[in-house]
Amino acid sequence: MEFNFNIADIFNQPIVEINRDLIPPGFRGDRRTLWNTVNKVSEVVNAIGEASAAAQGLPKPITSSERLKNSEHKLYLLIDQHANAGKGAVTGMLRTGAKGLYVFDKEGQHYQVSPPCILDFYIHESSQRKGLGRQLFQHMLHKEQVDPGKMAIDRPSEKLIRFLNKHYGLNSPMKQMNNYVVYEGFFPKKQTQS
Ligand code: ACO
């Protein structure tokens, strides 16, 4: 995804983490440059949010700069710094955050939890199935020090279900009433009576 400004100047690493302040990591500059940069980051977040929604057939974006500003979520952006004749391009995004959820295990026992969640995940159509999704996901797991099986996933697409099965061996997704999906290892192990 290309923009009419220089992405490589704003995002100087292959994967950057953005949060509610919309300030790119390593930003240096005066107040005017900051304002200008935040506006550009906002444009990037809105554009990639729209592209993700379109790819998932959602009626409207679930990721936007406004939503990010009002949350504690993290947005990881995958950057190709060499694309677009050196101006750079944004290749994908992954948004995570904790959510308060009621979830049921296979026995019907319910749990009130606030797990880390996968909220939105998208790789640009031109770059899917080339390992970039895994690269971005691995980065997130490392940064957040979380096991993929301990995460809840908001309305996963079939592609994401397959992705999680292929790369992390997760199978038998348990769809919850709130449309989140969790896997077997999500629940605490039950004590067996001796
Ligand atoms: N059909 C079936 N499985 C797919 C597809 C597809 N079109 N695309 C990716 N996968 C799965 C497969 O397991 C695939 O392995 P395979 O090619 O050997 O079959 C594996 O993902 C490929 O792994 P990566 O290359 O690392 O994944 P990719 O870079 O394509 O990123 C992602 C995965 C994010 C799901 C991407 O395909 C995408 O953006 N899809 C469209 C949007 C989407 O469905 N996002 C998830 C929405 S749900 C949510 O965000 C909570």
Side-chain angles (χ1 to χ4, degrees):
M1 178 171 276
E2 296 171 357
F3 294 83
N4 61 7
F5 46 82
N6 196 313
I7 287 292
D9 277 352
I10 301 174
F11 304 117
N12 56 12
Q13 294 154 27
I15 297 178
V16 292
E17 192 182 317
I18 304 291
N19 58 31
R20 62 188 312 156
D21 64 18
L22 300 177
I23 302 174
F27 172 81
R28 278 197 191 86
D30 57 18
R31 266 174 72 175
R32 196 160 156 268
T33 324
L34 175 65
W35 189 79
N36 199 281
T37 302
V38 166
N39 278 339
K40 287 176 178 163
V41 172
S42 180
E43 189 176 329
V44 167
V45 173
N46 289 334
I48 198 111
E50 280 173 25
S52 179
Q56 296 175 56
L58 301 174
K60 55 183 181 151
I62 51 170
T63 296
S64 68
S65 59
E66 214 43 50
R67 278 194 164 199
L68 196 59
K69 275 194 235 170
N70 292 309
S71 75
E72 296 294 325
H73 300 168
K74 287 181 183 160
L75 183 71
Y76 298 88
L77 294 174
L78 185 64
I79 309 298
D80 180 347
Q81 285 160 310
H82 307 290
N84 195 15
K87 283 170 82 181
V90 182
T91 321
M93 65 101 145
L94 174 58
R95 180 166 58 90
T96 62
K99 288 269 181 175
L101 301 175
Y102 278 101
V103 287
F104 291 81
D105 67 12
K106 279 196 171 126
E107 282 79 45
Q109 185 169 343
H110 85 272
Y111 300 79
Q112 189 176 359
V113 286
S114 294
C117 299
I118 301 297
L119 300 170
D120 202 1
F121 186 22
Y122 168 70
I123 298 292
H124 190 266
E125 280 69 13
S126 62
S127 306
Q128 289 176 13
R129 283 185 136 163
K130 293 180 179 171
L132 293 180
R134 181 167 191 271
Q135 189 188 331
L136 187 56
F137 205 89
Q138 279 293 118
H139 179 94
M140 176 281 294
L141 293 177
H142 181 72
K143 286 290 284 194
E144 302 194 13
Q145 288 293 295
V146 62
D147 176 341
K150 296 285 181 196
M151 301 188 86
I153 300 123
D154 188 10
R155 295 166 204 262
S157 63
E158 190 53 39
K159 289 181 187 179
L160 182 52
I161 294 280
R162 287 184 190 219
F163 172 94
L164 291 170
N165 179 257
K166 175 176 173 154
H167 296 305
Y168 301 103
L170 297 178
N171 50 45
S172 306
M174 287 180 246
K175 190 170 175 195
Q176 305 290 315
M177 283 188 296
N178 50 22
N179 286 319
Y180 277 75
V181 158
V182 296
Y183 290 87
E184 186 70 42
F186 182 85
F187 298 100
K189 281 211 168 68
K190 290 198 174 117
Q191 302 283 330
T192 46
Q193 302 219 322
S194 53

